[in-house]
Amino acid sequence: LKELRLKASLTGPFPSLGNLNKLEQLDLSGNSFDGSLPEDIGSLTLLTELLFSRNKLSGTLPASFANLTSLVRLEMDENDISGTFPA
């Protein structure tokens, strides 16, 4: 699986996706995911596009986010995420 787009008013915690290590594009925008991003998101090192705008996420970006070195497009507006971008 290289591309995953789920725009279906899904609710609950942001899903754990660490086992989808071939994923290049992930779009979970416009849902109602809450809580924080899981640490295993950093294992998706082939991601070029990560979109999770318009959810109810909070907290800070996990340190593993620094592993997303292939990321070209990131959209995370309309959430309550704070802090600095992990280096």
Side-chain angles (χ1 to χ4, degrees), residues 22-75:
K22 302 287 187 203
L23 205 58
E24 295 175 5
Q25 297 177 336
L26 176 60
D27 185 353
L28 298 176
S29 313
N31 289 292
S32 292
F33 291 120
D34 57 22
S36 58
L37 290 169
E39 187 69 34
D40 71 351
I41 199 160
S43 65
L44 305 177
T45 57
L46 299 179
L47 272 184
T48 59
E49 185 176 289
L50 176 57
L51 313 174
F52 56 91
S53 300
R54 297 179 315 280
N55 279 283
K56 298 177 182 176
L57 298 169
S58 59
T60 59
L61 294 174
S64 67
F65 219 77
N67 298 336
L68 302 180
T69 57
S70 298
L71 207 56
V72 176
R73 182 176 176 202
L74 172 64
E75 293 181 11

